[in-house]
Amino acid sequence: MSCGNHHDTDCREVLDKVYTYLDGELDEGDCADIRQHLDECGPCLREYGLDQVVKQLVARHCGCDAAPEDLRARIRDRIDQVRGELAT
């Protein structure tokens, strides 16, 4: 996905790292780059908002149980599929 505008950090790179960002697993420099990009890019911010809501919903309903890796992979695949459909 790309919004068509120039950014220091590419839209696809931001969206590829959004789960790592939400999990707090990026270093401060990468976090700052993603925050800056989300401040400037409406389409990515909307995508980030959706990802954040899904993550919160899963956390609220699954408690502390970790999702099985195969389920996580299927969800990521479906999200990638939807992103691809939205990009066309």
Side-chain angles (χ1 to χ4, degrees):
M1 178 187 135
S2 177
C3 68
N5 296 323
H6 172 73
H7 300 283
D8 290 338
T9 306
D10 183 68
C11 294
R12 179 144 323 269
E13 183 181 342
V14 168
L15 294 177
D16 286 345
K17 292 182 179 180
V18 77
Y19 284 106
T20 310
Y21 173 76
L22 289 172
D23 288 338
E25 297 174 357
L26 294 177
D27 64 43
E28 185 53 39
D30 284 339
C31 285
D33 291 344
I34 289 177
R35 279 192 298 269
Q36 178 182 353
H37 182 96
L38 293 173
D39 285 344
E40 299 170 350
C41 184
C44 286
L45 183 60
R46 284 189 294 278
E47 183 76 18
Y48 164 74
L50 173 64
D51 289 344
Q52 190 172 34
V53 168
V54 169
K55 186 175 182 71
Q56 289 170 347
L57 180 65
V58 169
R60 185 171 50 242
H61 291 287
C62 293
C64 296
D65 298 334
E69 188 54 41
D70 64 319
L71 174 61
R72 294 173 63 114
R74 289 194 323 255
I75 291 170
R76 283 189 210 111
D77 289 345
R78 180 65 181 134
I79 290 171
D80 289 342
Q81 179 185 4
V82 170
R83 282 183 182 156
E85 291 169 2
L86 292 174
T88 57

